[in-house]
Short mmCIF file of all heavy atoms in Angstrom, two decimals:
data_model
loop_
_atom_site.label_atom_id
_atom_site.label_comp_id
_atom_site.label_asym_id
_atom_site.label_seq_id
_atom_site.Cartn_x
_atom_site.Cartn_y
_atom_site.Cartn_z
N ASN T 139 10.19 45.88 62.32
CA ASN T 139 10.53 47.05 61.49
C ASN T 139 11.50 46.68 60.36
O ASN T 139 12.23 45.71 60.40
CB ASN T 139 11.08 48.18 62.34
CG ASN T 139 12.48 47.91 62.84
OD1 ASN T 139 12.89 46.78 63.00
ND2 ASN T 139 13.25 48.99 63.03
N ALA T 140 11.49 47.54 59.36
CA ALA T 140 12.39 47.42 58.21
C ALA T 140 12.51 48.76 57.52
O ALA T 140 11.60 49.60 57.63
CB ALA T 140 11.85 46.36 57.24
N THR T 141 13.59 48.95 56.84
CA THR T 141 13.84 50.18 56.08
C THR T 141 14.32 49.79 54.70
O THR T 141 15.08 48.82 54.55
CB THR T 141 14.88 51.07 56.76
OG1 THR T 141 14.52 51.28 58.13
CG2 THR T 141 15.01 52.40 56.06
N LEU T 142 13.88 50.50 53.66
CA LEU T 142 14.18 50.15 52.29
C LEU T 142 14.80 51.34 51.54
O LEU T 142 14.50 52.50 51.85
CB LEU T 142 12.89 49.72 51.56
CG LEU T 142 11.99 48.70 52.25
CD1 LEU T 142 10.77 48.42 51.38
CD2 LEU T 142 12.73 47.41 52.54
N ILE T 143 15.63 51.01 50.57
CA ILE T 143 16.10 52.01 49.61
C ILE T 143 15.47 51.65 48.25
O ILE T 143 15.52 50.48 47.85
CB ILE T 143 17.63 52.01 49.50
CG1 ILE T 143 18.25 52.54 50.80
CG2 ILE T 143 18.07 52.85 48.29
CD1 ILE T 143 19.76 52.46 50.81
N VAL T 144 14.86 52.62 47.60
CA VAL T 144 14.19 52.40 46.33
C VAL T 144 14.74 53.38 45.32
O VAL T 144 14.77 54.59 45.54
CB VAL T 144 12.66 52.61 46.44
CG1 VAL T 144 11.97 52.37 45.09
CG2 VAL T 144 12.07 51.72 47.52
N GLY T 145 15.27 52.88 44.20
CA GLY T 145 15.84 53.74 43.19
C GLY T 145 15.61 53.23 41.81
O GLY T 145 15.40 52.03 41.60
N GLY T 146 15.67 54.12 40.84
CA GLY T 146 15.49 53.69 39.44
C GLY T 146 15.03 54.82 38.56
O GLY T 146 15.11 56.00 38.92
N GLN T 147 14.51 54.45 37.39
CA GLN T 147 14.07 55.43 36.41
C GLN T 147 12.90 54.88 35.64
O GLN T 147 12.85 53.68 35.33
CB GLN T 147 15.22 55.81 35.46
CG GLN T 147 14.87 56.92 34.50
CD GLN T 147 16.07 57.32 33.61
OE1 GLN T 147 17.03 56.62 33.53
NE2 GLN T 147 15.98 58.50 33.02
N ILE T 148 11.96 55.76 35.33
CA ILE T 148 10.78 55.40 34.52
C ILE T 148 10.73 56.30 33.31
O ILE T 148 10.68 57.55 33.43
CB ILE T 148 9.49 55.50 35.33
CG1 ILE T 148 9.51 54.47 36.47
CG2 ILE T 148 8.27 55.28 34.44
CD1 ILE T 148 8.30 54.53 37.38
N ALA T 149 10.76 55.71 32.13
CA ALA T 149 10.61 56.43 30.84
C ALA T 149 11.52 57.64 30.77
O ALA T 149 12.73 57.52 30.97
CB ALA T 149 9.13 56.77 30.64
N ASP T 150 10.94 58.80 30.46
CA ASP T 150 11.74 60.01 30.25
C ASP T 150 11.98 60.81 31.51
O ASP T 150 12.58 61.88 31.46
CB ASP T 150 11.05 60.90 29.21
CG ASP T 150 10.95 60.23 27.84
OD1 ASP T 150 11.86 59.47 27.50
OD2 ASP T 150 9.94 60.48 27.14
N ASN T 151 11.52 60.31 32.65
CA ASN T 151 11.76 61.00 33.91
C ASN T 151 13.21 60.75 34.37
O ASN T 151 13.80 59.75 34.00
CB ASN T 151 10.80 60.49 34.99
CG ASN T 151 9.36 60.78 34.63
OD1 ASN T 151 8.99 61.91 34.37
ND2 ASN T 151 8.52 59.73 34.63
N PRO T 152 13.78 61.64 35.15
CA PRO T 152 15.15 61.44 35.63
C PRO T 152 15.22 60.33 36.64
O PRO T 152 14.23 60.00 37.31
CB PRO T 152 15.50 62.79 36.25
CG PRO T 152 14.18 63.36 36.68
CD PRO T 152 13.21 62.94 35.62
N PRO T 153 16.39 59.72 36.84
CA PRO T 153 16.57 58.71 37.89
C PRO T 153 16.33 59.36 39.25
O PRO T 153 16.68 60.52 39.48
CB PRO T 153 18.02 58.28 37.74
CG PRO T 153 18.42 58.69 36.37
CD PRO T 153 17.64 59.91 36.07
N ARG T 154 15.71 58.58 40.14
CA ARG T 154 15.44 59.09 41.50
C ARG T 154 15.76 58.02 42.53
O ARG T 154 15.72 56.81 42.22
CB ARG T 154 13.98 59.56 41.61
CG ARG T 154 13.64 60.65 40.65
CD ARG T 154 12.18 61.04 40.67
NE ARG T 154 11.83 61.84 41.82
CZ ARG T 154 10.61 62.37 42.02
NH1 ARG T 154 9.64 62.16 41.15
NH2 ARG T 154 10.37 63.09 43.12
N LEU T 155 16.06 58.48 43.73
CA LEU T 155 16.48 57.57 44.81
C LEU T 155 15.76 57.97 46.08
O LEU T 155 15.77 59.15 46.47
CB LEU T 155 18.00 57.65 44.99
CG LEU T 155 18.67 56.71 46.00
CD1 LEU T 155 18.58 55.27 45.51
CD2 LEU T 155 20.13 57.12 46.20
N PHE T 156 15.17 57.00 46.75
CA PHE T 156 14.37 57.24 47.98
C PHE T 156 14.80 56.29 49.09
O PHE T 156 15.25 55.17 48.83
CB PHE T 156 12.88 57.02 47.71
CG PHE T 156 12.30 57.91 46.64
CD1 PHE T 156 12.31 57.51 45.30
CD2 PHE T 156 11.74 59.13 46.95
CE1 PHE T 156 11.80 58.30 44.31
CE2 PHE T 156 11.21 59.94 45.96
CZ PHE T 156 11.22 59.53 44.64
N MET T 157 14.59 56.75 50.33
CA MET T 157 14.69 55.87 51.47
C MET T 157 13.31 55.80 52.13
O MET T 157 12.74 56.84 52.47
CB MET T 157 15.72 56.34 52.50
CG MET T 157 15.86 55.42 53.69
SD MET T 157 17.41 55.65 54.64
CE MET T 157 17.17 57.31 55.29
N VAL T 158 12.82 54.58 52.31
CA VAL T 158 11.47 54.36 52.82
C VAL T 158 11.55 53.87 54.26
O VAL T 158 12.23 52.87 54.54
CB VAL T 158 10.71 53.32 51.95
CG1 VAL T 158 9.28 53.16 52.47
CG2 VAL T 158 10.68 53.76 50.49
N TYR T 159 10.86 54.59 55.15
CA TYR T 159 10.89 54.25 56.59
C TYR T 159 9.80 53.24 56.94
O TYR T 159 8.86 53.04 56.19
CB TYR T 159 10.71 55.55 57.40
CG TYR T 159 11.85 56.52 57.25
CD1 TYR T 159 11.70 57.66 56.46
CD2 TYR T 159 13.05 56.30 57.89
CE1 TYR T 159 12.71 58.57 56.32
CE2 TYR T 159 14.09 57.20 57.77
CZ TYR T 159 13.93 58.34 56.98
OH TYR T 159 14.95 59.22 56.84
N PRO T 160 9.93 52.61 58.13
CA PRO T 160 8.92 51.61 58.53
C PRO T 160 7.51 52.15 58.60
O PRO T 160 6.54 51.43 58.40
CB PRO T 160 9.40 51.15 59.93
CG PRO T 160 10.87 51.44 59.91
CD PRO T 160 11.05 52.66 59.08
N GLU T 161 7.38 53.45 58.86
CA GLU T 161 6.06 54.05 58.93
C GLU T 161 5.40 54.19 57.55
O GLU T 161 4.21 54.53 57.46
CB GLU T 161 6.15 55.42 59.60
CG GLU T 161 6.58 55.38 61.08
CD GLU T 161 8.07 55.27 61.25
OE1 GLU T 161 8.84 55.24 60.25
OE2 GLU T 161 8.54 55.25 62.41
N GLY T 162 6.19 53.96 56.50
CA GLY T 162 5.66 54.07 55.15
C GLY T 162 5.98 55.39 54.46
O GLY T 162 5.81 55.50 53.24
N ASN T 163 6.44 56.37 55.21
CA ASN T 163 6.86 57.63 54.59
C ASN T 163 8.28 57.51 54.05
O ASN T 163 8.98 56.53 54.32
CB ASN T 163 6.71 58.81 55.56
CG ASN T 163 7.50 58.59 56.84
OD1 ASN T 163 7.98 57.49 57.12
ND2 ASN T 163 7.63 59.64 57.62
N PHE T 164 8.72 58.51 53.31
CA PHE T 164 10.02 58.38 52.66
C PHE T 164 10.63 59.74 52.38
O PHE T 164 9.94 60.78 52.40
CB PHE T 164 9.90 57.60 51.35
CG PHE T 164 8.83 58.10 50.41
CD1 PHE T 164 9.11 59.06 49.48
CD2 PHE T 164 7.55 57.56 50.47
CE1 PHE T 164 8.11 59.55 48.60
CE2 PHE T 164 6.56 58.02 49.60
CZ PHE T 164 6.83 58.99 48.69
N ILE T 165 11.93 59.75 52.11
CA ILE T 165 12.64 60.96 51.70
C ILE T 165 13.41 60.67 50.42
O ILE T 165 13.68 59.51 50.09
CB ILE T 165 13.62 61.45 52.80
CG1 ILE T 165 14.67 60.38 53.12
CG2 ILE T 165 12.87 61.88 54.05
CD1 ILE T 165 15.74 60.84 54.10
N GLU T 166 13.74 61.72 49.68
CA GLU T 166 14.42 61.56 48.41
C GLU T 166 15.84 62.11 48.45
O GLU T 166 16.10 63.14 49.07
CB GLU T 166 13.64 62.28 47.28
CG GLU T 166 14.28 62.09 45.90
CD GLU T 166 13.44 62.67 44.79
OE1 GLU T 166 12.39 63.30 45.09
OE2 GLU T 166 13.82 62.51 43.62
N ALA T 167 16.75 61.42 47.81
CA ALA T 167 18.14 61.89 47.71
C ALA T 167 18.20 63.11 46.81
O ALA T 167 17.44 63.25 45.84
CB ALA T 167 19.04 60.79 47.14
N GLY T 168 19.08 64.01 47.16
CA GLY T 168 19.29 65.25 46.36
C GLY T 168 20.73 65.64 46.37
O GLY T 168 21.62 64.84 46.78
N ASP T 169 21.01 66.86 45.95
CA ASP T 169 22.41 67.31 45.89
C ASP T 169 23.06 67.35 47.27
O ASP T 169 24.26 67.09 47.40
CB ASP T 169 22.46 68.69 45.23
CG ASP T 169 22.06 68.67 43.77
OD1 ASP T 169 22.13 67.58 43.15
OD2 ASP T 169 21.67 69.72 43.24
N ASP T 170 22.29 67.69 48.30
CA ASP T 170 22.85 67.77 49.64
C ASP T 170 22.96 66.41 50.32
O ASP T 170 23.80 66.20 51.18
CB ASP T 170 22.00 68.70 50.50
CG ASP T 170 22.05 70.14 50.03
OD1 ASP T 170 23.11 70.56 49.53
OD2 ASP T 170 21.02 70.82 50.16
N THR T 171 22.09 65.49 49.94
CA THR T 171 22.11 64.12 50.48
C THR T 171 22.07 63.17 49.30
O THR T 171 20.99 62.69 48.94
CB THR T 171 20.95 63.88 51.44
OG1 THR T 171 20.93 64.88 52.45
CG2 THR T 171 21.06 62.51 52.09
N PRO T 172 23.22 62.88 48.65
CA PRO T 172 23.21 62.14 47.39
C PRO T 172 23.23 60.64 47.55
O PRO T 172 23.23 59.92 46.55
CB PRO T 172 24.47 62.63 46.73
CG PRO T 172 25.40 62.93 47.85
CD PRO T 172 24.55 63.43 48.96
N TYR T 173 23.29 60.11 48.76
CA TYR T 173 23.31 58.67 48.96
C TYR T 173 22.56 58.33 50.24
O TYR T 173 22.45 59.17 51.15
CB TYR T 173 24.73 58.11 48.99
CG TYR T 173 25.63 58.80 49.97
CD1 TYR T 173 25.63 58.47 51.32
CD2 TYR T 173 26.52 59.80 49.55
CE1 TYR T 173 26.46 59.13 52.23
CE2 TYR T 173 27.34 60.44 50.42
CZ TYR T 173 27.33 60.10 51.77
OH TYR T 173 28.13 60.77 52.66
N PHE T 174 22.07 57.11 50.31
CA PHE T 174 21.39 56.62 51.51
C PHE T 174 22.06 55.35 51.97
O PHE T 174 22.51 54.52 51.16
CB PHE T 174 19.90 56.33 51.22
CG PHE T 174 19.07 57.57 51.02
CD1 PHE T 174 18.21 57.65 49.92
CD2 PHE T 174 19.10 58.63 51.90
CE1 PHE T 174 17.44 58.76 49.70
CE2 PHE T 174 18.33 59.75 51.69
CZ PHE T 174 17.50 59.81 50.61
#
Side-chain angles (χ1 to χ4, degrees):
N139 73 331
T141 308
L142 311 178
I143 292 174
V144 180
Q147 185 176 18
I148 295 177
D150 297 327
N151 297 306
R154 300 175 75 175
L155 184 68
F156 300 89
M157 181 162 66
V158 182
Y159 294 105
E161 295 83 359
N163 56 348
F164 52 88
I165 59 175
E166 182 174 4
D169 293 339
D170 294 326
T171 306
Y173 52 82
F174 289 131

